[in-house]
Amino acid sequence: QAGARLAALRLQGLFRLRSLRRLLRQRQERERERRRLRQLRRSQRDTEPRRLGRARYEDAGPEVQLSEELPESLRTLRPEGHVLRDRFKSLQRRNMIEPRERAK
């Protein structure tokens, strides 16, 4: 009986080793697939154009000048029309304030 029990334990150990090998092979296959997908995504991301974030926008490249008359920033230009009225009308159109004018 001891010999039969020992043989059964060896056989069970063999099945356990087979199942462990199978699990290990499956795990390695999953890792290989993940690595392949990661490399594929990385190669696709490298072919896409780079997007500029807010921090890198200033360092993007040479400053664009619209014409010879506008060498400094566009912020120094005076807007035409009434800025406050235009802003007020914009808020009215977007229904952020009541769409009626004050009584005169």
Side-chain angles (χ1 to χ4, degrees):
Q1 284 181 343
R5 185 181 305 152
L6 190 60
L9 282 175
R10 282 185 184 159
L11 193 62
Q12 190 174 0
L14 180 67
F15 287 134
R16 193 177 299 144
L17 274 177
R18 281 183 184 168
S19 68
L20 284 175
R21 265 194 221 137
R22 189 177 66 240
L23 288 174
L24 187 61
R25 202 175 310 123
Q26 288 173 350
R27 183 175 178 179
Q28 288 174 345
E29 187 62 35
R30 276 198 312 265
E31 288 178 358
R32 200 175 299 123
E33 182 65 19
R34 284 181 186 167
R35 193 177 304 123
R36 188 185 67 79
L37 286 174
R38 197 178 315 127
Q39 287 175 349
L40 183 66
R41 275 191 232 112
R42 185 177 295 143
S43 66
Q44 286 176 349
R45 190 173 56 228
D46 289 344
T47 58
E48 289 178 356
R50 295 248 180 222
R51 295 183 182 194
L52 293 177
R54 280 187 186 161
R56 290 188 287 170
Y57 180 72
E58 299 299 325
D59 305 332
E63 195 172 310
V64 177
Q65 288 188 353
L66 296 179
S67 68
E68 295 80 29
E69 299 91 32
L70 302 173
E72 61 264 355
S73 173
L74 292 176
R75 292 179 183 167
T76 59
L77 292 177
R78 292 284 126 214
E80 295 181 9
H82 199 274
V83 178
L84 202 57
R85 186 179 299 128
D86 293 342
R87 180 73 50 89
F88 182 73
K89 292 288 186 187
S90 171
L91 290 174
Q92 280 183 335
R93 277 193 297 273
R94 291 185 283 160
N95 289 328
M96 297 178 84
I97 57 176
E98 290 183 11
R100 65 180 182 89
E101 296 202 16
R102 283 178 25 208
K104 295 184 180 174

